[in-house]
Amino acid sequence: GQSGSPIMDSKGNVLGLLTAIGAASEEKTYAVSTNAIMSLLHKLPERNLKLPKYAKIAYMSREQQIAKMEDYTIAVKVYKK
């Protein structure tokens, strides 16, 4: 599905990550905020993770941002028989 997909603002900043979509009757989508993710990362005992200080796509148009992210976004569909 779409879990793990970034939720971005118009400047290319990641606001959160999609985690789940509720049942069709619920019409709800769930996400984890970047603040919660960063809090968790800072609590890890040892990390070799280097995070950028700014979004490299921040100065692109929305269309350019989407085109850039398409290479890193996939959708998996599961069909029941």
Side-chain angles (χ1 to χ4, degrees):
Q2 303 297 327
S3 294
S5 298
I7 301 167
M8 299 186 305
D9 66 12
S10 63
K11 295 179 182 175
N13 297 307
V14 177
L15 304 176
L17 297 177
L18 290 176
T19 58
I21 296 175
S25 61
E26 290 181 352
E27 296 182 4
K28 294 180 182 178
T29 301
Y30 301 93
V32 176
S33 73
T34 51
N35 290 339
I37 295 168
M38 293 303 293
S39 175
L40 173 66
L41 288 175
H42 290 295
K43 291 177 183 176
L44 293 175
E46 185 177 324
R47 57 187 167 93
N48 294 322
L49 182 64
K50 294 180 182 178
L51 300 171
K53 296 197 184 267
Y54 64 94
K56 292 181 181 180
I57 63 173
Y59 302 102
M60 295 179 181
S61 70
R62 192 62 166 167
E63 291 79 14
Q64 291 171 320
Q65 290 173 353
I66 292 168
K68 184 77 170 173
M69 295 300 291
E70 279 181 331
D71 293 339
Y72 306 99
T73 306
I74 63 168
V76 177
K77 295 183 181 184
V78 178
Y79 299 95
K80 294 181 182 180
K81 288 187 175 184

